[in-house]
Amino acid sequence: MAATSCPSTTLCVAVTYNGDVLTTTDPDITTPSWSVVDVDGDIPLEGLSCPATGLCVAVDAQGASSPRPTRPTPGAP
């Protein structure tokens, strides 16, 4: 994972160098269940900020933000 943000105790969002966004609603357990969505093809996502449970913004390797606002619901971009 390239970056992770947990805006609440029941939500964590992560981005990968493969352009994927991962979400979990059970981050406090030993082995959380992660849902994966490809949002940026093979463009590396390197930064992530989730200031609230309803908003996450990812940044790619060139500094461009995610192509559209992302609602961090497991399995849905």
Side-chain angles (χ1 to χ4, degrees):
M1 288 185 224
T4 304
S5 182
C6 299
S8 75
T9 58
T10 58
L11 176 66
C12 282
V13 181
V15 293
T16 71
Y17 294 115
N18 295 326
D20 297 331
V21 173
L22 294 82
T23 57
T24 184
T25 56
D26 54 3
D28 290 337
I29 66 172
T30 304
T31 308
S33 173
W34 292 88
S35 297
V36 180
V37 176
D38 181 6
V39 296
D40 212 4
D42 290 330
I43 298 172
L45 296 173
E46 296 189 354
L48 175 68
S49 179
C50 299
T53 57
L55 174 66
C56 287
V57 177
V59 178
D60 69 18
Q62 288 81 37
S65 64
S66 55
R68 60 188 177 278
T70 301
R71 185 172 186 182
T73 302

